Amino acid sequence: MGGEKMMTKRKQQRLIGYHVGVTLLTLLSVGLVTALLMGWGDRCAELVGINGLLVVFAIDYVVRLICTPNRKIFLIQSAFDLLGIIPLHPVFAFFRLGRLVRFIRYHHLFWRLRLNSKWTRAYHQFMYKTGFIYLFSISVSIIVLSAFLFSLTEKQSLANSLWWAMTTATTVGYGDETPHTAFGRIIASVLMVGGIGFIGLLTSTISGFVADRSRQVATSQERQEQADLNQLLAKIETLTEKVDHLQKQVDDSKKIR
């Protein structure tokens, strides 16, 4: 029994060490990309560091994918991790920040830091119980991957491709960027169907959550008002009984006289 507890404790310590190490590497990679984009420091050294961390995160992703018991759930929950190892542009490293969110959630850091307030509970309910985080991850993945393929087939920059993907998925469609090749039009068609569908689900999820919260607040207010009214009625009844008792005492004293 003691040996099992010791093994469980060591496993937990290794897991915490792994998460802390990944968190530090995530912050380091984001810092290097930020420095590269801002033109700070040695560009060559930063590129070497970014590419080295890219390999580390790619290996980590593949190992976790192989070891996970449910690959379908893993691919949905780790969509940002997959985007974070795309070698097309260093800016994709910012998607690795999703690991920080999972680290905070897995180890219940808000609760441990006594920050588990009403706001954090509402945030958790919105992000996970409604499935918003999964819909958001899939939507972002579709937009980014479509932009990536569009940039390759249409010979466009990543910035222009992302702009095209956003305007297409949100049905804005300014028309300043359009596909000219057959493969580019296929990508656009897939994005129109998949992207618009998931963005519609996102919108309905947000509106449904807001409506549900509004109903909960209204119901809570009604219950509070009813409780206050019942309390007031109880006090009035008690006061009435005391007045009746006092009146009876007065009448009895008059009879004695």
Side-chain angles (χ1 to χ4, degrees), residues 121-221:
R121 289 194 295 271
Y123 168 81
H124 183 274
Q125 182 180 7
F126 171 67
M127 294 297 289
Y128 295 100
K129 290 188 177 181
T130 62
F132 177 84
I133 185 63
Y134 306 119
L135 291 174
F136 180 76
S137 300
I138 294 173
S139 300
V140 172
S141 300
I142 291 175
I143 291 174
V144 173
L145 291 176
S146 298
F148 170 60
L149 296 175
F150 183 84
S151 67
L152 294 179
T153 58
E154 299 294 327
K155 308 302 180 182
Q156 295 284 344
S157 66
L158 180 61
N160 290 337
S161 299
L162 286 172
W163 170 252
W164 166 83
M166 286 295 297
T167 55
T168 301
T170 55
T171 69
V172 175
Y174 288 112
D176 52 348
E177 296 291 342
T178 56
H180 300 286
T181 64
F183 193 67
R185 289 170 183 169
I186 294 174
I187 297 170
S189 300
V190 174
L191 177 60
M192 290 174 190
V193 176
I196 294 172
F198 279 105
I199 288 178
L201 288 174
L202 283 175
T203 304
S204 62
T205 300
I206 295 173
S207 59
F209 178 79
V210 172
D212 184 62
R213 293 289 294 179
S214 299
R215 286 195 298 268
Q216 290 180 1
V217 170
T219 302
S220 178
Q221 290 178 347

Side-chain angles (χ1 to χ4, degrees), residues 230-248:
N230 293 337
Q231 187 177 6
L232 179 60
L233 291 175
K235 290 182 179 179
I236 292 174
E237 184 178 356
T238 302
L239 182 60
T240 302
E241 291 177 355
K242 290 182 179 180
V243 171
D244 292 341
H245 181 70
L246 181 60
Q247 183 65 40
K248 184 179 180 181

Side-chain angles (χ1 to χ4, degrees), residues 108-118 120-121:
H108 308 288
L109 293 185
F110 284 141
W111 178 79
R112 295 178 185 276
L113 297 175
R114 302 182 184 276
L115 298 175
N116 192 24
S117 62
K118 183 178 180 180
T120 57
R121 289 194 295 271

